[in-house]
Amino acid sequence: SHNDIDSIGMEYLANCDFPELLELNLGNNLIDCVGIENLSSCNFKKITSLHLCVNRIGNEGIKNIQKCPFKMLKFLNLSMNNI
């Protein structure tokens, strides 16, 4: 968290291969709906906890989250995202 990650950073992150990743904290960044769309192509198949609080996701970003391949996700923090 607190890394100034934006849409471009999310594109790089989505191209990383972390098939065993269980938790990812991306809170307090600059992630918008395009950043979430970039995340939808990631290989985080085992992720169970995703923190996206205090970003710029908005309603369009919520639609993009539905495209993410997180079948094991149990916790999703979207607080303070202008939703």
Side-chain angles (χ1 to χ4, degrees), residues 57-59 62 78-83:
I57 293 171
N59 293 330
I62 295 300
L78 294 170
S79 62
M80 300 180 71
N81 269 291
N82 220 13
I83 298 170

Side-chain angles (χ1 to χ4, degrees), residues 28-55:
N28 290 287
N29 282 291
L30 306 171
I31 301 167
D32 59 9
C33 64
V34 175
I36 297 299
E37 186 174 7
N38 291 338
L39 190 62
S40 69
S41 64
C42 71
N43 183 25
F44 305 153
K45 294 179 181 168
K46 292 187 178 180
I47 197 163
T48 60
S49 180
L50 181 58
H51 300 265
L52 293 168
C53 60
V54 193
N55 278 288

